[in-house]
């Protein structure tokens, strides 16, 4: 197939031909259904009491006779293994069973092809084509399974003009025998346009037949749509397939990224020297340098007790305990996950206290421990409309005071290091000084009173994102105008508005213009100097007494603006940026990145064919190559467009990247140069995949087509080979066979199609013949080998990505509920159990195993996180779940995290 159709009549002609083919397919399908239904009715009459259509002395076949499989096909399986989703296929029993849900009125269609008992003459005098059998059909094999309904057996089919009983019997028997031969003959099982009657779309008045060859196929339903999958011939019974969770487990090895784009209070240094920050639902404890990653790589530990995204941090004065607040969310069933604060031990990673469950709205926006009383109290500001300010007893988890703060955003909160009765908050157009009467030595609840900071002759800024307490008791604030204001204590004027009547208040005593644009961070150093970080100018400035500038450095533009500053050992500084990077260095020598990440939603992921490297891309238009051993970014380039998918050539020399405009690129992985730039259609590309021998490149598009290109040996040159045309919705996933000649593909309307690429990109209409084909990769989310990963009641979008390990022992799944699952492979049993791993704060968009199956990489969607999981073999050390979770009942992460 050329596939390079012109803009004229070529596409129109192809569309007309495609419609014509589909019409012919549907006509053949209807004839087949009518014939098989007639045969089903005839067999029902044979089993009924003697009537005018039966000889009174003829014996009906016993109902408990075991059906035999046709030659070359596996033996029949128990009907229970053919049930899935909302419908179940059952054998006819003594009592009538209800009709199959979802089918139209009238008698049900047969559940499989029928073969007339051998030796039995058909009603028209013809005989069946099977071998010898007992006379009269007693005990003769049949693969027909019927679903009997309370309706009359000879009721009229909705789309038929007359009842089958009114037709000439000779014509009926010929059609019945013909339908049986058609269904049993090799090469014609899928003679209906490559689709089952179950999955063939039809108009509002069409009726979908319900065939199933018992023991030959299984069926599942997504959004009420049946999907038929054929059982490989080597599997005699589904009962012999593995049924438990896999012996392998996952342990979180590394988290790439840092949430600096839209959060504050997110970077601190612990007493142990570890740097603590967060991304998604994970709080990361990073040990700079000397770790398993080598110089600059460091090591990581992770606190994973949260069930939704972490938004803020506070470190206890002892440098060991940490408080982290999470946002509100919902679980897979739509039940709310309430915001809460966890107080935990950074040495053991054990949760010590859970504070405020049910007391906060939307999320926790800011946190602060008291200082003068050894961190006995915790101040919390939530994200409700009133931004409730509350004070809590850390040891008991009890609320001591609460008050409505302001309707404006609150960005920072802190206790005075000299007096726990003094609390400061700042945010949109305000600085508030709070007096807490339940401070030092005052038991029980106390009152909170507020005095508003007055700017007087100074311009009132739009935002005050940060502040810091000086050793002499003064306060410095950084604002959106780039100014640092010094607030000093003064005696309270009785005319000054405020409810507190405090003896002292704060007023502005000095102002210094420090940055162009907003000041995002202030940090008090051990030597008493202050560091300020600017937004627009990306400068980091050190200030001495009197706000005299001592030294400064500029952060490179591609890292973004300064978001947070923390002081490390000696002169070392840690800087978090708005482009989700964590930098390490000092003002004299400059800064280099130790943690980097994406800044927007991620979708594209592929792993290197023989190195521990992987590549990611997403909505931030960055294409990044990561080194999984050093845990570092090898390189990144700007794609100028959104990258959605990628795949390495088997040589590893080049990588193909699909974009959201129908354009795809091939880049040299060493020089990063673009060696090919081609556009296919004008819709987004969802999958690109090289054949295992590197001869072909398949590109799945949202225009419902798969474009095939011939590729040179080095992967640098590509030429159009053809197009795979036949899907009725956008392409979602595809895989190549091990011989590199065939493709299996999934689409947005849950089709499973097979293609002969080497034979001219032809659609294989007989899907049954592909049941034993071996696949080089398995990333299609629909297929016999993986249908057990789907939860009951799924709407078809619950699973975003799937990947089989190279050793074909496990399959990893990325779902829409922030979880990564690990199943045994093949996973061909309904409601298969899995190991479930949390940590992502958004839908997980992709999972891939590294070349040696030592690690699994998973991508968070909107949380822009990348998790690298270590795969532990059976009996290996590491974290393992106490009890495996079953797929259909995904619980909140608190009960699933392992």
């Amino acid at each position: 197939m050329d596939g390079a159709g012109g803009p004229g009549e070529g596409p129109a002609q192809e569309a007309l031909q495609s419609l014509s083919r589909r019409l012919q397919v549907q006509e053949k399908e209807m004839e087949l259904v009518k014939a098989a239904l007639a045969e089903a009715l005839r067999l029902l009459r044979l089993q009924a009491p003697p009537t005018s259509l039966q000889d009174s002395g003829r014996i009906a076949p016993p109902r408990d006779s075991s059906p035999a499989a046709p030659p070359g096909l596996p033996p029949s399986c128990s009907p229970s293994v053919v049930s899935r989703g909302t419908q179940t296929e059952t054998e006819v029993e003594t009592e009538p069973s209800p009709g199959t849900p979802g089918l139209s009125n009238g008698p049900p269609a047969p559940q499989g092809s029928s073969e007339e008992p051998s030796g039995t003459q058909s009603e028209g005098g013809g005989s069946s084509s099977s071998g010898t059998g007992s006379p009269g059909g007693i005990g003769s094999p049949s693969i027909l399974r019927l679903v009997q309904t309370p309706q009359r057996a000879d009721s009229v089919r909705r789309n038929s003009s007359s009842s089958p009983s009114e037709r000439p019997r000779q014509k009926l028997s010929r059609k019945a025998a013909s339908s049986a031969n058609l269904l049993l003959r090799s090469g014609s099982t899928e003679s209906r346009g490559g689709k089952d009657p179950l999955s063939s779309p039809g108009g509002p008045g069409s009726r979908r037949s319900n065939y199933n060859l018992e023991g030959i196929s299984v069926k599942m339903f997504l959004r009420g749509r049946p999907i038929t999958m054929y059982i490989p011939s080597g599997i005699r019974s589904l009962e012999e397939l593995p049924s438990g969770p896999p012996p392998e487990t996952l342990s979180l090895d590394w988290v790439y990224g840092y949430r600096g784009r839209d959060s504050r209070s997110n970077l601190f240094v612990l007493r142990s020297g570890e740097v603590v920050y967060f991304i998604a639902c994970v709080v990361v404890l990073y040990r700079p340098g000397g770790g398993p990653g080598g110089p600059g790589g460091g090591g990581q530990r992770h606190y994973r007790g949260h069930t939704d995204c972490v938004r803020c941090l506070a470190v206890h004065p002892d440098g060991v305990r940490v408080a982290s607040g999470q946002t509100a969310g919902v679980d897979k069933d739509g039940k709310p996950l309430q915001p809460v604060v966890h107080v935990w031990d950074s040495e053991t990673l054990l949760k010590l206290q859970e504070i405020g469950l049910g007391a906060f709205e939307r999320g926790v926006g800011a946190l602060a421990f008291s200082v003068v009383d050894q961190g006995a109290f915790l101040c919390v500001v939530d994200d409700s409309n009133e931004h409730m300010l509350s004070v809590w007893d850390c040891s008991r988890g009890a609320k001591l005071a609460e008050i409505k703060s302001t309707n404006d955003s609150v960005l920072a909160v802190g206790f005075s290091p000299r007096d726990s009765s003094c609390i400061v908050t700042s945010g949109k157009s305000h600085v508030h000084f709070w007096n807490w009467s339940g401070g030092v030595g005052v038991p029980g609840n106390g009152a909170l009173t507020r005095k508003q900071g007055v700017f007087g002759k100074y311009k009132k800024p739009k935002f005050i994102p940060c502040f810091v307490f000086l050793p002499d008791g003064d306060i410095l604030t950084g604002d959106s105008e780039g100014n640092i204001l010094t607030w000093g204590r003064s005696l309270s004027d009785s005319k000054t508005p405020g409810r507190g009547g405090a003896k002292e208040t704060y007023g502005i005593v000095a102002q210094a213009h420090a940055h162009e644009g907003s000041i995002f961070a202030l940090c008090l150093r051990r030597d008493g100097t202050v560091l300020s970080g600017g937004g627009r100018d990306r400068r980091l400035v050190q200030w001495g007494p009197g706000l005299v500038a001592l030294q400064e450095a500029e952060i490179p533009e591609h890292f973004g603006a300064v978001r947070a500053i923390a002081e490390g050992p000696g002169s070392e500084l840690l800087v978090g940026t708005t482009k989700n990077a964590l930098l390490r260095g000092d003002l004299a020598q400059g800064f280099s990145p130790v943690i980097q990440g994406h800044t927007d939603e991620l979708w594209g992921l592929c792993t290197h064919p023989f190195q521990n490297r992987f590549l990611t891309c997403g909505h931030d238009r960055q294409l990044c190559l990561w080194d999984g051993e050093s845990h570092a970014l090898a390189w990144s380039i700007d794609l100028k467009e959104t990258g959605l998918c990628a795949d390495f050539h088997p040589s590893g020399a080049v990588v193909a990247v699909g974009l959201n405009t129908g354009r795809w690129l091939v880049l040299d992985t060493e020089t990063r140069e673009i060696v090919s730039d081609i556009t296919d259609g004008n819709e987004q590309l969802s999958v690109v995949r090289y054949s295992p021998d590197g001869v072909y490149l398949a590109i799945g598009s949202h225009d419902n087509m798969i474009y095939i290109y011939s590729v040179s040996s080095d992967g640098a040159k590509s030429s159009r080979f053809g197009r795979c045309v036949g899907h009725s919705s956008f392409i979602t996933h595809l895989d190549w066979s091990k011989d590199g000649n065939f493709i299996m593909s999934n689409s947005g309307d849950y089709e499973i199609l097979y293609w002969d690429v080497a034979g001219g990109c032809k659609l294989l209409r007989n899907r049954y013949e592909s049941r034993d084909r071996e696949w080089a990769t398995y990333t299609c989310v629909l297929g016999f080998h993986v249908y057990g990963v789907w939860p009951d009641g799924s709407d078809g979008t619950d699973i975003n990505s799937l990947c089989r390990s190279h050793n074909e022992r496990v399959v990893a799944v990325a779902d829409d509920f922030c979880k990564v699952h690990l199943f045994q492979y093949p996973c061909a049993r309904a409601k298969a159990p899995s190991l479930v791993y949390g940590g992502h704060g958004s839908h997980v968009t992709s999972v891939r195993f590294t070349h040696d199956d030592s690690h699994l990489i998973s991508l968070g969607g909107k949380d822009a996180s990348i998790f690298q999981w270590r795969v532990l073999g059976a009996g290996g050390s590491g974290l393992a779940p106490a009890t495996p979770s079953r797929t259909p009942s995904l619980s909140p992460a608190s009960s699933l995290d392992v």
Side-chain angles (χ1 to χ4, degrees):
M1 188 184 298
D2 185 7
E9 298 182 355
Q13 187 67 22
E14 287 183 6
L16 288 174
Q17 292 176 356
S18 177
L19 289 174
S20 177
R21 286 195 298 268
R22 290 196 178 189
L23 181 60
Q24 294 174 5
V25 165
Q26 291 181 355
E27 290 176 350
K28 293 179 181 178
E29 176 186 324
M30 292 301 297
E31 289 298 322
L32 176 67
V33 172
K34 291 177 182 179
L37 178 62
E39 174 66 4
L41 293 173
R42 189 187 67 78
L43 288 178
L44 281 173
R45 293 189 184 94
L46 289 177
Q47 297 182 14
T51 65
S52 60
L53 294 180
Q54 289 179 307
D55 296 332
S56 59
R58 189 168 182 174
I59 304 175
R63 297 194 178 198
D64 60 350
S65 59
S66 300
L73 299 180
S76 298
C77 297
S78 168
S80 63
V81 303
V82 196
S83 63
R84 187 72 173 96
T86 59
Q87 301 188 21
T88 304
E89 300 178 9
T90 57
E91 186 178 357
V92 174
E93 300 293 343
T94 304
E95 296 295 328
S97 59
T100 306
L103 298 179
S104 57
N105 296 328
Q111 300 300 303
S113 64
S114 63
E115 182 176 358
E116 195 169 333
S118 69
T120 302
Q121 296 293 321
S122 65
E123 291 181 297
S127 61
S128 68
S129 60
S130 61
T132 61
S134 55
I138 301 176
S140 56
S142 171
I143 61 170
L144 180 65
R145 298 287 174 152
L146 302 175
V147 179
Q148 187 173 351
T149 67
Q151 300 172 348
R152 294 188 312 129
D154 59 345
S155 58
V156 180
R157 186 181 175 188
R158 185 176 62 180
N159 291 337
S160 299
S161 59
S162 63
S163 172
S165 61
E166 299 174 0
R167 300 173 184 170
R169 296 176 186 172
Q170 187 173 4
K171 183 177 179 181
L172 184 150
S173 61
R174 284 201 305 268
K175 282 194 172 185
S178 174
S179 66
N181 294 335
L182 180 63
L183 285 172
L184 292 175
R185 188 166 56 244
S186 175
S188 60
T189 307
E190 292 297 330
S191 61
R192 301 178 294 280
K195 299 179 183 178
D196 271 84
L198 292 170
S199 59
S200 298
S206 69
R207 172 172 178 162
R208 295 178 182 173
S209 302
N210 194 18
Y211 288 97
N212 184 67
L213 296 179
E214 184 93 11
I216 296 175
S217 66
V218 293
K219 183 170 58 177
M220 64 179 287
F221 293 80
L222 291 177
R223 289 191 174 179
R225 178 167 186 168
I227 302 168
T228 301
M229 296 157 287
Y230 292 98
I231 302 174
S233 59
I235 299 177
R236 300 185 60 84
S237 170
L238 298 190
E239 299 300 324
E240 67 188 32
L241 295 175
S243 59
E248 291 81 1
T249 60
L250 299 179
S251 174
L252 187 56
D253 182 40
W254 196 267
V255 177
Y256 299 83
Y258 151 84
R259 186 166 182 170
R261 178 187 55 176
D262 60 353
S263 67
R264 297 167 177 80
S265 301
N266 56 14
L267 182 63
F268 299 91
V269 178
L270 302 175
R271 186 179 67 184
S272 63
E274 291 175 302
V275 181
V276 59
Y277 60 94
F278 58 82
I279 182 171
C281 304
V282 177
V283 182
V284 181
L285 294 87
Y286 167 67
R287 181 177 63 257
Q300 283 186 357
R301 297 187 298 136
H302 310 95
Y303 176 75
R304 297 170 54 203
H306 286 282
T307 58
D308 216 295
C309 289
V310 182
R311 294 302 307 273
C312 54
L313 286 176
V315 175
H316 195 273
D318 63 12
V320 175
R321 282 175 282 179
V322 178
S324 49
Q326 74 173 51
T327 188
V330 293
D331 63 13
K332 81 174 283 283
D333 298 320
K335 296 179 181 178
L337 298 175
Q338 295 177 325
V340 69
V341 175
H342 287 188
V343 179
W344 45 280
D345 189 311
S346 63
E347 294 179 348
T348 63
L349 299 181
L350 296 177
K351 182 169 62 177
L352 305 175
Q353 192 68 254
E354 191 172 77
I355 292 178
L357 183 63
F360 309 126
E361 292 185 22
R362 297 181 183 169
V364 179
L367 291 169
F369 280 103
S370 61
V371 179
V372 70
D373 44 28
Q374 291 78 47
F377 307 111
L378 181 71
C379 187
V380 183
V381 181
D382 73 6
D383 285 332
S384 64
N385 290 337
E386 296 82 11
H387 296 93
M388 300 299 294
L389 173 68
S390 55
V391 181
W392 300 77
D393 186 316
C394 293
S395 60
R396 297 185 294 117
K399 182 162 51 177
L400 304 179
E402 185 179 43
I403 192 172
K404 294 180 180 179
S405 171
T406 175
N407 288 332
D408 294 324
S409 300
V410 177
L411 304 178
V413 64
F415 282 94
S416 168
R418 304 171 61 177
D419 182 3
S420 292
S421 64
C422 178
I423 301 172
V424 179
T425 60
S426 70
K428 183 178 180 180
S429 302
H430 76 272
V431 177
H432 290 163
F433 303 95
W434 301 86
N435 184 71
W436 176 38
S437 60
V440 179
V442 179
N445 294 341
L448 284 164
T449 56
R450 181 185 72 185
K451 278 191 173 292
Q452 187 165 335
V454 179
F455 290 87
K457 64 179 181 179
Y458 300 97
K459 181 180 178 180
K460 188 176 185 178
K462 185 175 292 186
F463 289 96
I464 300 111
C466 55
F467 64 85
V468 66
F469 289 93
L470 296 179
D472 60 4
D474 289 349
I475 299 173
L476 299 182
T477 60
D479 60 41
S480 55
E481 303 296 323
N483 297 322
I484 296 178
L485 299 178
T486 304
W487 299 75
R489 284 179 177 266
S490 61
L491 291 177
S492 175
D493 186 348
S494 60
K495 297 181 181 180
T496 302
R499 296 182 298 163
K503 295 180 180 179
E504 289 185 332
T505 186
Y506 284 89
I508 300 175
V509 296
Q511 173 182 280
H513 186 70
H515 294 271
E516 295 298 326
S518 183
I519 299 175
F520 286 158
L522 291 172
C523 174
L524 178 66
R525 304 196 69 174
R526 287 184 291 268
D527 59 5
T529 61
V530 174
L531 291 169
S532 65
R536 188 184 307 168
D537 60 10
R538 307 185 313 281
R539 290 165 57 237
L540 199 62
V541 183
Q542 182 179 12
W543 304 90
L547 291 180
V548 176
L550 302 177
Q551 198 174 6
E552 69 175 64
E554 184 174 331
I555 304 299
E557 182 178 1
H558 61 275
F559 293 130
V562 177
R563 174 64 77 190
I565 308 168
E567 189 176 20
S571 62
E572 183 179 280
L573 298 174
L574 281 301
V575 178
T577 74
T578 56
K579 289 191 176 180
N580 294 353
L582 186 60
L583 311 181
R584 180 186 178 195
D586 56 41
L587 296 174
Q589 303 296 325
F591 295 87
S592 59
V594 291
I595 299 292
Q596 290 177 269
H598 285 270
T599 59
D600 209 340
E601 188 170 355
L602 292 175
W603 280 96
L605 170 66
C606 62
T607 53
H608 197 279
F610 50 84
Q611 295 179 1
N612 193 9
R613 289 186 163 199
F614 59 94
L615 187 140
T616 58
C617 57
H619 288 222
D620 62 358
R621 304 182 177 185
Q622 296 295 310
L623 180 69
C624 300
L625 179 66
W626 306 89
D627 190 316
E629 294 182 357
S630 64
H631 305 127
L633 179 66
W635 53 258
S636 68
I637 64 169
D638 188 356
L639 294 172
K640 309 297 183 183
E641 296 176 17
T642 298
L644 296 177
C645 51
D647 193 40
F648 279 99
H649 187 270
S651 67
V654 297
V655 63
V657 183
L659 308 179
N660 68 331
T661 57
R663 179 169 162 242
W664 56 276
L665 312 173
V666 178
L667 296 94
D668 188 300
T669 55
E670 293 297 327
T671 64
R672 307 174 220 173
E673 294 180 356
I674 297 176
V675 296
S676 292
D677 186 341
I678 301 175
T679 300
D680 284 307
N682 57 4
E683 297 193 44
Q684 70 182 51
L685 305 179
S686 50
V687 56
V688 294
R689 185 86 72 239
Y690 283 100
S691 61
D693 53 9
V695 173
Y696 297 112
L697 172 64
I699 301 164
S701 171
H702 270 229
D703 64 6
N704 306 355
M705 296 185 187
I706 302 175
Y707 299 90
I708 306 297
Y709 281 79
S710 297
V711 181
S712 61
S713 59
D714 59 358
K717 296 181 180 180
S718 305
S719 59
R720 172 75 73 83
F721 179 79
R723 291 182 302 175
C724 298
V725 182
H727 272 293
S728 53
S729 184
F730 58 90
I731 313 302
T732 58
H733 307 82
L734 66 84
D735 291 292
W736 285 92
S737 61
K738 289 186 176 180
D739 60 12
N741 294 327
F742 300 90
I743 282 178
M744 169 175 59
S745 58
N746 293 168
S747 62
D749 59 352
Y750 321 127
E751 284 183 318
I752 308 172
L753 297 186
Y754 300 90
W755 311 86
D756 182 358
V757 175
C761 302
K762 297 177 182 178
L763 173 64
L764 299 178
R765 301 189 181 278
N766 187 353
R767 293 192 294 126
Y768 176 76
E769 292 185 343
S770 297
R771 71 194 190 283
D772 290 331
R773 189 158 286 123
E774 295 184 342
W775 302 101
T777 59
Y778 213 119
T779 61
C780 286
V781 298
L782 296 173
F784 170 79
H785 294 83
V786 297
Y787 84 90
V789 307
W790 286 88
D792 278 346
S794 174
D795 67 353
T797 63
D798 294 340
I799 293 178
N800 298 315
S801 178
L802 177 150
C803 183
R804 181 192 67 192
S805 61
H806 296 87
N807 60 19
E808 302 187 12
R809 295 182 55 182
V810 294
V811 58
V813 170
D815 74 13
D816 236 17
F817 312 109
C818 315
K819 300 296 184 293
V820 174
H821 299 251
L822 203 62
F823 294 86
Q824 283 205 72
Y825 180 87
C827 185
R829 301 185 70 169
K831 302 181 182 181
S834 68
L835 305 181
V836 188
Y837 299 87
H840 285 288
S842 177
H843 53 288
V844 186
T845 56
S846 187
V847 285
R848 290 292 182 270
F849 286 94
T850 55
H851 72 100
D852 57 359
D853 293 330
S854 62
H855 292 84
L856 175 73
I857 311 299
S858 62
L859 299 185
K862 293 187 178 298
D863 64 23
S865 64
I866 305 171
F867 285 11
Q868 179 173 313
W869 307 85
R870 185 178 299 277
V871 180
L872 304 176
S877 59
L879 299 173
T883 56
S885 170
R886 297 190 71 86
T887 304
S889 56
L890 293 180
S891 314
S894 58
S895 62
L896 294 179
D897 282 345
V898 293

